[in-house]
Amino acid sequence: MEPVDLAVTALHPSVDDPALNSMNFLNEVAQHYPDAVSLAAGRPYEEFFDSAVLHRHLDTFRRHLADDLGLSREQVDRTLLQYGRTKGIVHDLIARHLAVDEQLTVDPEAIVVTVGCQEAMFLVLRALRAGPRDVLLAVAPTYVGLTGAARLVDLPVHPVTGGPDGIDLADLRDQVHRARAEGLRPRACYVMPDFANPSGVSMDLAHRRRLLDLAAEEDLLLLEDNPYGLFPAAGAERLPTLKALDTRRRVVYLGSFAKTVLPGARVGYVVADQRVAGSDGTVGPLADQLAKIKSMVTVNTSPISQAVIGGALLAHDCSLVAANTRERAAYARNQRHLADGLARLFPAGGPVRWNVPAGGFFVVVTVPFRVDDALLHRSAREYGVLWTPMAHFYDAGTPVNALRLSVSAVTPHQIDLGLDRLAALITDELATVGAPA
Ligand SMILES: Cc1ncc(COP(=O)(O)O)c(C=O)c1O
């Protein structure tokens, strides 16, 4: 055994938590089997990537600073090259994007531009975790980045049944009451109303309204995470976000440009317009408190990255719906292709079931046997196909009979190849457990 200087048990408990290892584990499996077809990665489609746009976007944003905002050459350079405003420099453009694409009116001062949506989640959870009685409710299955961020700030996550409506409201109410009966303080409930990761499920309009009513009745905040909302399936309608329906400042809205512009910029944001009374008697948006935390985590989001995002927004009059025409069509095509392939390989009424989401990147396949990391390894090694065990999106140790497929980073040909290989794996597993194929 190698000499050791520190035991992991002497570090913050989160570093030894399965949630923090999940993304690394899945990346390592993918690296280990580079020839396997990956229906695992939730990355955006790369065919439209073009690094030449970086210069164009930077230039567009520079011209915006000079021509629209009247900044001098020195001020433009300082804005892009110097340390900058903690809450960010593209907040006005983000507010315009939300108005254009989401019919959502927000005060730009209630926006904090963050290093990806991931930092936004961390800032919000850090702020909400005020003491040891605080807990977070989160729809299950849930995005592992949320669970991991909660671990970092010692905020226990209580799962709420997701189900076909996106969240089971009776269970949400029960969980709130149960937590309070135990002397705990549920601070918020995390939800993904549009094409959730990993379930693919969306909430209909009536359900969104009922969720907002319940949040008001139970005095609960909702954390709405919406990275996939701009990608409805062909013919599917886009519904208003919770934040657009929120008249009582119950919703903290988490945004990401990873899927709608480019993930390499690492830019996201949070809209936090809840009024906070400071100890000095002043009242301001929660965003101001989040900015204090941010100033001690990443200081400010790279202005160069923000400029690239800002330029991309300006290039399309702040409409990311307009900017993503090709991408939306590619994801919708892939979703349809995957659904057709699944129907071909696994006939209705059989032991293998899957859902047909109204958009987004993900589909869940349910099988009559346990799906775990060992099976993923075998799938990669012996069958040449990668997917994500759904167990990664539940509490560690929960037995789960399902896997997540992603259509975002593959071609229809790769979907066919991957599905044929997955079908071979599933057929062999069914034979092992004795289920009819
Ligand atoms: C539901 C959800 N939230 C947040 C993120 C992270 O976004 P970002 O890359 O902006 O940090 C992802 C990324 O896959 C996601 O699926």
Side-chain angles (χ1 to χ4, degrees), residues 323-380:
N324 279 282
T325 318
R326 290 178 311 177
E327 289 77 1
R328 190 164 55 251
Y331 297 136
R333 174 202 66 200
N334 282 3
Q335 277 280 18
R336 212 171 35 243
H337 200 81
L338 183 75
D340 291 348
L342 286 166
R344 186 167 34 83
L345 292 164
F346 306 110
V352 180
R353 288 176 289 119
W354 67 94
N355 62 346
V356 182
F361 288 11
F362 308 110
V363 165
V364 175
V365 178
T366 307
V367 291
F369 50 82
R370 175 93 172 256
V371 176
D372 56 17
D373 290 349
L375 187 66
L376 171 61
H377 265 295
R378 212 149 63 68
S379 174

Side-chain angles (χ1 to χ4, degrees), residues 215-279:
E217 285 160 27
E218 295 294 344
D219 190 18
L220 199 64
L221 286 174
L222 298 172
L223 310 185
E224 177 180 30
D225 189 5
N226 186 21
Y228 304 102
L230 295 196
F231 303 115
E237 56 169 346
R238 288 184 58 231
L239 292 174
T241 61
L242 288 179
K243 189 68 191 153
L245 299 168
D246 175 29
T247 52
R248 293 166 281 199
R249 290 199 291 267
R250 284 280 151 199
V251 180
V252 175
Y253 185 83
L254 302 161
S256 169
F257 294 110
K259 312 293 164 22
T260 52
V261 184
L262 51 108
R266 302 302 305 129
V267 179
Y269 62 95
V270 52
V271 180
D273 57 1
Q274 290 67 29
R275 314 300 298 164
V276 177
S279 38

Side-chain angles (χ1 to χ4, degrees), residues 116-118 121 143 190 192 197 225 227-228 256 258-259 266:
C117 178
Q118 187 65 33
M121 293 192 287
Y143 175 57
Y190 170 84
M192 294 162 280
N197 180 8
D225 189 5
Y228 304 102
S256 169
K259 312 293 164 22
R266 302 302 305 129

